[in-house]
Amino acid sequence: VWLDRKLLFNYHVKQKTAAATRALNMISRLSNSEWGLSAPAIRQLYYTCITPIADYGAEVWWKGQIGLANKLQKLQAEANRRILGAFRTSPTAAMEIEAATLRIPLRLDRQCKRYAYRVLQMLSDHPIRQRTPSSFPSTLSSSIPLDRPCSSSSEMLNTLSSFLPVGQDVEQCYPNLQPPWDTNLPDTTSRLDITISQEDKDTAAKSHITLLNSLDNSENLVLYTDGSELQNGGVGAGVVMMHGGGIVGRWRVGLGCGMKVYDGELVGIASALTEASRSSLSFKHILVFTDNQAAISNSHRLSPHPGQQISQQIQQLTKDLLSSDLDIQLHLSWVPSHTGIQGNDEADRLAKQAAEYPQPDIDSFLSLTKLKTQIKQSALKAWHQYWTQLQPAKQGRHYRSIHFHLPSLHPPLHFFQLHRPQLATVTQLRLGHGCFNTYLSRLDENVSDRCSCTKSTPPPQTPEHLILYCSRYQQHRHLLRS
C-alpha cells in the first residue's frame, strides 16, 4: 500500500489502477468480439486476476471517495466492453447488468464487510482482533460509543453493525481446533460411514428404497432429518425416527431468523444423534439420512468452515454414541429430496412447521452463513436501488425500453449459451449501440438511418426492425423462433 503525507491514497489507487489496466490489456489479447476465449471465461479472469490488483488495500483506504471510485469505474467499463464486445459509447450501467459486474462503490463496500466478517472468525488473541473495540461484535453500533478512539478499522468493522443484533451471540469459529497436518478423525469414527451417492435423483431414490426393503428392521434405527427456510427468514429442522418398519418418533426444532437452511440441516443431524442416544430401542446400526450434501460433508470436517460450531456438537455426539456401545455402527448418507420417500417427506413437513415460529426453541446465535448471505444481499439491494433511481439517459433509453429486470449478480442465460460473435451482436442490439444505421448515423452524418430492405419509404434500421420486420432476415427469423 502506497502512503502519502495526507493519507488520501490517491497515488496508491493511481498505481493499482495502472497495474490492473496492464493486466487487462494482456488478458484482452486472448479474445476479441469475433474469436478467442468465451465471455464467461474473460469475466472470470477479470474477477480473479484484475479486481484483486485494483482493489488491493481497499479495507484501508476506502471511505466512499467518489473520485477514487471513478478511476476504478473507468477500468471496469473497459473490461465490460472487452467481455461483451460492446461499443465504446455503450451505457456503463447497462453493461454492468449485462456482464453482472457489481458497481465499484458497492464492490468496495462489500470487500470491507467481508474483511470484518473474517475478523469475526479470528481468535481473541489474534493481533488484528486485539486492535478491535472490545464491544465488537455483539454490541457494535454506530449509536454506541466505542471504548477506543474512532479509527479506520473501527469504521470498517462498524459496517456490520446493521447485521449484528445487540445482545445476540455470533457463531464461534475455531481456526486452531486441530493441527493442519492432522486430518484424521478420532479412532471411534472407524465405525462411522459417510456416503454421498453420485447417482442422479431418481436412481438414488430407487436405490434408497431398495436398501430400506433389505434392512433387518429389528437391528437398524433409521432417522431422517431435514432443514427448511421460509420467505420471512424463519428456519427450522425436523427429525423422524423409524424402527421395526414404522415411525416411532417425530421432533421439530425452531431456529428463529438467525440461521440459514444449511445450518438447519446440521442442527437436524445433531438432533437425530441426540434422540438416538436417548432411545431405549435395541439396535446395532444407526442410519441417518439427510438431503443436503454440504451438511453431510461438513458434519465431521475438522478445518474451519461455516457451521463449525454445530459440526463440533455432531462430532462430540458421534464420539459419545460410538463409545457407549462398541457394537454400534453409524451411517450418515444422502437421500434425494421430494422423491416420495416417506421419512424424508415427513421430516420436511416438520421442518416447515418449526420454521413458522419466530422464537427459537434452543439457544440460538447468528450463524456465519446467515451473515455472509446478508452481506451479499445488502450489496445486491443497494445495486437495485441505484438502478431504479438512475436517470433514463444513463440507463440507456433503448435498453430501458426492453429490459425490465433488476440487476443480478449472475449473468443472463444467453451470456453462457452464445459464442463470442453471437453474444457481441446480441449485446449491441440490446444496448442500442451497434452496427445498424440508426446508431451509425449518429457517428457519421453521411450515413442514412434508413434500412435498404424496401425502396419505397424505407423504415429506420433500428434493432426492433432488424429482429422483427426486416425482409432480408425473414429466413433467419424462422430459425430464431424455432
Side-chain angles (χ1 to χ4, degrees), residues 278-299:
R278 295 174 179 174
S279 177
S280 60
L281 299 171
S282 176
F283 50 82
K284 292 183 179 179
H285 296 269
I286 302 175
L287 297 94
V288 180
F289 296 102
T290 187
D291 57 13
N292 189 291
Q293 296 186 7
I296 296 174
S297 301
N298 293 334
S299 61

Side-chain angles (χ1 to χ4, degrees), residues 334-364:
W334 172 73
V335 61
S337 60
H338 308 295
T339 52
I341 299 174
Q342 178 188 5
N344 181 258
D345 292 344
E346 180 66 13
D348 180 64
R349 184 185 67 83
L350 293 171
K352 284 183 170 60
Q353 290 180 354
E356 295 176 355
Y357 300 97
Q359 296 298 326
D361 298 334
I362 60 176
D363 294 336
S364 66

Side-chain angles (χ1 to χ4, degrees), residues 434-451 461:
C435 296
F436 39 87
N437 290 343
T438 51
Y439 172 74
L440 297 177
S441 61
R442 293 161 52 186
L443 306 179
D444 187 354
E445 60 182 8
N446 296 322
V447 177
S448 171
D449 65 343
R450 300 293 167 171
C451 184
Q461 194 184 65

Side-chain angles (χ1 to χ4, degrees), residues 308-326:
Q308 186 185 29
Q309 187 168 335
I310 309 174
S311 296
Q312 280 188 273
Q313 300 176 11
I314 296 175
Q315 294 167 23
Q316 186 60 45
L317 288 167
T318 300
K319 181 179 178 181
D320 296 342
L321 190 60
L322 296 180
S323 300
S324 63
D325 190 337
L326 299 179

Side-chain angles (χ1 to χ4, degrees), residues 85-295:
F87 276 44
R88 183 174 294 274
T89 56
S90 300
T92 301
M95 286 194 298
E96 289 174 342
I97 294 180
E98 287 294 294
T101 52
L102 191 63
R103 294 192 65 246
I104 295 299
L106 304 182
R107 192 177 79 197
L108 297 177
D109 285 340
R110 185 178 64 174
Q111 181 168 335
C112 291
K113 291 177 182 177
R114 284 178 172 177
Y115 180 78
Y117 170 83
R118 294 197 301 272
V119 173
L120 278 176
Q121 303 177 56
M122 297 176 182
L123 295 178
S124 58
D125 58 352
H126 193 283
I128 294 179
R129 192 64 182 268
Q130 289 178 347
R131 296 183 63 85
T132 62
S134 59
S135 57
F136 182 77
S138 59
T139 60
L140 186 62
S141 174
S142 57
S143 61
I144 299 178
L146 302 176
D147 59 343
R148 298 182 185 180
C150 185
S151 63
S152 59
S153 63
S154 299
E155 293 177 2
M156 181 192 59
L157 296 175
N158 202 38
T159 58
L160 292 184
S161 60
S162 60
F163 307 137
L164 303 175
V166 176
Q168 185 177 19
D169 295 331
V170 180
E171 178 186 351
Q172 297 296 314
C173 187
Y174 304 94
N176 301 327
L177 187 62
Q178 192 161 348
W181 56 85
D182 188 1
T183 58
N184 297 322
L185 293 170
D187 294 338
T188 53
T189 56
S190 59
R191 289 178 282 125
L192 169 65
D193 176 39
I194 300 178
T195 305
I196 299 179
S197 175
Q198 301 300 321
E199 299 175 334
D200 61 85
K201 235 178 147 180
D202 295 334
T203 306
K206 294 177 182 178
S207 301
H208 178 75
I209 295 175
T210 302
L211 173 64
L212 288 183
N213 294 332
S214 64
L215 293 177
D216 185 353
N217 293 327
S218 62
E219 294 185 351
N220 296 279
L221 183 67
V222 180
L223 298 109
Y224 289 93
T225 73
D226 198 11
S228 182
E229 181 179 7
L230 303 182
Q231 291 185 351
N232 62 1
V235 177
V239 180
V240 173
M241 179 183 292
M242 301 180 68
H243 187 262
I247 297 177
V248 296
R250 296 179 176 87
W251 297 270
R252 60 188 182 190
V253 182
L255 302 175
C257 298
M259 296 187 180
K260 296 295 289 181
V261 64
Y262 162 76
D263 303 294
E265 300 281 359
L266 288 173
V267 171
I269 297 175
S271 300
L273 296 178
T274 300
E275 299 304 331
S277 62
R278 295 174 179 174
S279 177
S280 60
L281 299 171
S282 176
F283 50 82
K284 292 183 179 179
H285 296 269
I286 302 175
L287 297 94
V288 180
F289 296 102
T290 187
D291 57 13
N292 189 291
Q293 296 186 7

